[in-house]
């Protein structure tokens, strides 16, 4: 299978790549999860914070493919240099955030820039791992990504205690430290394993493809993959409806914030086994099969949550994270590299991230609207229908992309 390591997974390169993931997802979780805490302390209303986050996510969904297109072209700005630029920006904005705390409006704008630069690193980090795997380096991507999930969970607990003890004013300094560590981890990785250049033979003229594609050109060239992405958006609408409004779902069956924490902890723990062993799964199952299983698992999770009348059933539903999110996250990264031409790989990674981001924004808006005028049960019923549509679109897109690939080989 294309883009599975040509050598056995190497513990040394996997460890150093995992170090980047571990530090990045700590920085990600800190800046993203504590934005409300920080801005509320600056006297911003919840609605204002919601607008800031919506604008940030929408702009990041636009910016990520643009940045990726530059990296795909491998000319002036390589993937390596772009990743270092945006990590440096994130580090700089973090310390700037601390020194602009006297002005709330400037402070909020700097936080917006910090989030935008931080989110742009995400597809570049995934693409970096795939670049090395393509060149034969034995990176266990699933293991590295699982380390990100683990450190994310640990950071949430530690930072929560620090904020309780010291207040939110010091958050920018914590951000600075985490982004500095991420940047240092990236530099260490690149020095230990020099960035691989494309020194492949020139492609025949009849096989060459245009490197820089507009959105319209991309959707036309990769119609199956585009349909798959639309399915991802639908699935992540419902996925985020449940995550964002979990406290309301928990309260509807008599639970509390403590039970919500337990539900999220279950989801985080059950993710690890399949993420850790994803490379082994790829040797036994087709990537398309794993993604289809994940799509149905997302929908099953919604259905079970809809019928839940007790905390136990909600906890069981959270257990489906093992077959849904845990398979989708590494699977979607590998799927891009098997479905698209290498010149469009990073743009594909960015579009995938953008699809999940758009799903998050729409999930927040749709869920909030439904809860304002209907019930929890109605919200989950709508979510189930949306998830079914997304699952079918994903399957159709995957099958269409597979047929197109087979036709090109004939």
């Amino acid at each position: 299978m294309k883009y599975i390591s040509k050598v056995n997974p190497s513990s040394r390169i996997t460890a150093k790549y995992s170090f980047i993931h571990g530090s990045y997802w700590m920085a990600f979780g800190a800046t993203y999860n504590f934005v409300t805490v920080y801005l509320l302390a600056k006297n911003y209303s919840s609605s204002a914070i919601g607008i800031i986050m919506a604008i940030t996510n929408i702009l990041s969904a636009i910016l990520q493919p643009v940045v990726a297109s530059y990296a795909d072209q491998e000319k002036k700005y390589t993937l390596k240099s772009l990743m270092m630029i945006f990590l440096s920006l994130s580090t700089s904005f973090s310390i700037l955030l601390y020194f602009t705390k006297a002005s709330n409006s400037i402070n909020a704008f700097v936080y917006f820039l910090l989030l935008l630069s931080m989110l742009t690193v995400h597809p570049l980090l995934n693409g970096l791992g795939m670049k090395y795997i393509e060149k034969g380096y034995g990176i266990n991507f699933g293991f590295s990504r699982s380390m990100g999930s683990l450190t994310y969970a640990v950071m949430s607990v530690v930072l929560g205690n620090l904020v309780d003890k010291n207040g939110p004013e010091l958050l920018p300094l914590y951000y600075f430290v985490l982004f500095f560590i991420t940047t240092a981890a990236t530099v260490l990785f690149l020095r230990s394993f020099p960035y691989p250049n494309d020194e492949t033979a020139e492609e025949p003229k009849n096989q060459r493809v245009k490197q820089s594609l507009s959105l319209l050109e991309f959707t036309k060239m990769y119609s199956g993959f585009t349909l798959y992405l639309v399915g991802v958006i639908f699935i992540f609408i419902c996925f985020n409806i449940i995550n964002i409004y979990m406290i309301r779902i928990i309260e509807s069956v008599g639970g509390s914030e403590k039970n919500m924490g337990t539900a999220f902890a279950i989801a985080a723990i059950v993710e690890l086994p399949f993420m850790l062993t994803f490379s082994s799964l790829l040797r036994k199952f087709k990537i398309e099969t794993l993604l289809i299983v994940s799509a149905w698992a997302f929908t099953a999770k919604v259905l079970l949550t809809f019928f839940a009348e007790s905390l136990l059933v909600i906890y069981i539903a959270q257990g489906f994270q093992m077959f849904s999110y845990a398979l989708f996250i590494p699977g979607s990264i590998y799927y891009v590299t098997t479905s698209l031409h290498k010149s469009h790989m990073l743009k594909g990674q960015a579009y995938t991230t953008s699809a999940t981001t758009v799903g998050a924004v729409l999930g927040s808006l749709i869920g909030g609207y439904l809860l304002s005028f209907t019930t929890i049960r109605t919200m989950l019923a709508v979510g189930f229908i949306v998830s079914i549509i997304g699952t079918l679109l994903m399957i159709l897109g995957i099958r269409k992309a597979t047929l197109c690939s087979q036709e090109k080989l004939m």
Side-chain angles (χ1 to χ4, degrees):
M1 184 183 293
K2 185 183 176 185
Y3 286 86
I4 294 181
S5 298
K6 300 171 188 175
V7 296
N8 291 328
S10 166
S11 58
R12 183 166 172 262
I13 189 170
T14 296
K16 292 192 175 182
Y17 184 63
S18 298
F19 186 21
I20 305 176
H21 265 282
S23 54
Y24 171 74
W25 285 105
M26 282 195 293
F28 181 103
T31 53
Y32 205 85
N33 288 357
F34 286 83
V35 59
T36 301
V37 174
Y38 184 78
L39 292 180
L40 282 175
K42 297 295 180 181
N43 297 318
Y44 279 85
S45 66
S46 295
S47 59
I49 296 171
I51 292 171
I52 291 171
M53 292 304 295
I55 293 173
T56 301
N57 281 308
I58 291 169
L59 288 181
S60 72
I62 297 171
L63 181 62
Q64 287 166 351
V66 173
V67 172
S69 68
Y70 281 103
D72 272 329
Q73 292 174 39
E74 293 285 352
K75 293 180 181 178
K76 183 179 179 180
Y77 298 106
T78 62
L79 187 161
K80 173 186 70 173
S81 60
L82 284 169
M83 186 170 170
M84 290 305 303
I85 287 170
F86 281 98
L87 279 175
S88 298
L89 285 173
S90 299
T91 307
S92 301
F93 288 140
S94 297
I95 198 66
L96 184 61
L97 188 67
Y98 180 75
F99 288 110
T100 59
K101 57 186 177 183
S103 173
N104 286 354
S105 57
I106 295 176
N107 208 235
F109 181 66
V110 173
Y111 208 125
F112 160 75
L113 294 176
L114 169 60
L115 288 170
L116 199 59
S117 59
M118 178 269 294
L119 289 168
T120 306
V121 173
H122 184 190
L124 298 175
L125 175 56
N126 292 337
L128 183 70
M130 290 300 107
K131 181 73 172 181
Y132 278 82
I133 290 174
E134 174 198 356
K135 296 301 179 180
Y137 289 86
I139 293 178
N140 185 332
F141 184 88
F143 178 87
S144 297
R145 181 58 183 83
S146 69
M147 290 301 99
S149 296
L150 185 60
T151 56
Y152 180 102
V154 172
M155 176 282 307
S156 297
V157 175
V158 173
L159 193 56
N161 289 330
L162 286 173
V163 172
D164 280 342
K165 182 179 179 181
N166 303 317
E169 287 295 321
L170 293 180
L171 276 171
L173 292 182
Y174 304 145
Y175 301 162
F176 172 77
V177 171
L178 292 172
F179 279 114
F180 182 83
I181 293 172
T182 306
T183 305
T186 305
V187 171
L188 177 64
F189 177 86
L190 293 172
R191 285 186 176 180
S192 301
F193 306 97
Y195 184 73
N197 294 317
D198 286 326
E199 298 179 350
T200 55
E202 187 176 355
E203 290 182 311
K205 289 185 177 181
N206 63 341
Q207 294 181 17
R208 292 178 191 172
V209 298
K210 184 178 179 181
Q211 287 192 327
S212 181
L213 298 178
S214 67
L215 177 60
L216 185 61
E217 290 171 329
F218 184 92
T219 57
K220 184 177 180 181
M221 177 174 288
Y222 300 111
S223 57
F225 185 79
T226 301
L227 188 59
Y228 155 82
L229 288 180
V230 175
V232 170
I233 291 174
F234 274 70
I235 284 177
F236 270 77
I237 287 173
C238 189
F239 177 73
N240 284 282
I241 283 176
I242 290 178
N243 280 352
I244 293 169
Y245 300 104
M246 177 61 81
I247 185 59
R248 298 289 300 275
I249 297 170
I250 290 287
E251 288 174 345
S252 71
V253 295
S256 63
E257 288 83 355
K258 180 181 179 181
N259 301 120
M260 182 185 73
T262 301
F264 282 133
I266 290 170
I269 291 169
V270 299
E271 285 177 10
L272 293 177
F274 279 164
M275 282 193 175
L276 286 168
T277 60
F278 195 79
S279 294
S280 298
L281 289 175
L282 279 180
R283 295 184 178 94
K284 298 178 181 178
F285 304 98
K286 293 181 179 179
I287 187 64
E288 294 84 357
T289 301
L290 293 174
L291 285 174
I292 290 172
V293 169
S294 75
W296 283 117
F298 274 114
T299 300
K301 177 182 176 182
V302 185
L303 185 62
L304 199 54
T305 305
F306 172 79
F307 284 113
E309 295 184 355
S310 68
L311 287 169
L312 177 60
V313 179
I314 288 178
Y315 292 159
I316 293 172
Q318 287 295 95
F320 275 79
Q321 193 91 341
M322 174 186 289
F323 305 102
S324 55
Y325 192 79
L327 288 179
F328 175 81
I329 292 302
S332 63
I333 305 303
Y334 280 100
Y335 183 60
V336 166
T337 61
T338 62
S339 302
L340 310 183
H341 189 275
K342 66 179 182 179
S343 298
H344 309 140
M345 183 188 77
L346 281 175
K347 178 163 279 192
Q349 302 284 11
Y351 279 140
T352 302
T353 304
S354 296
T356 60
T357 302
V358 171
V361 174
L362 293 177
S364 176
L365 295 174
I366 293 171
Y369 178 82
L370 289 171
L371 279 181
S372 297
F373 298 100
T374 62
T375 64
I376 294 291
R377 189 61 62 90
T378 302
M379 180 187 74
L380 291 173
V382 172
F384 173 69
I385 294 170
V386 170
S387 192
I388 279 285
I389 294 172
T391 297
L392 295 177
L393 288 174
M394 266 188 69
I395 293 171
L396 289 173
I398 289 171
R399 288 180 176 174
K400 184 174 183 180
T402 302
L403 287 174
C404 289
S405 298
Q406 291 174 347
E407 289 174 359
K408 289 178 181 178
L409 293 174
M410 292 177 65

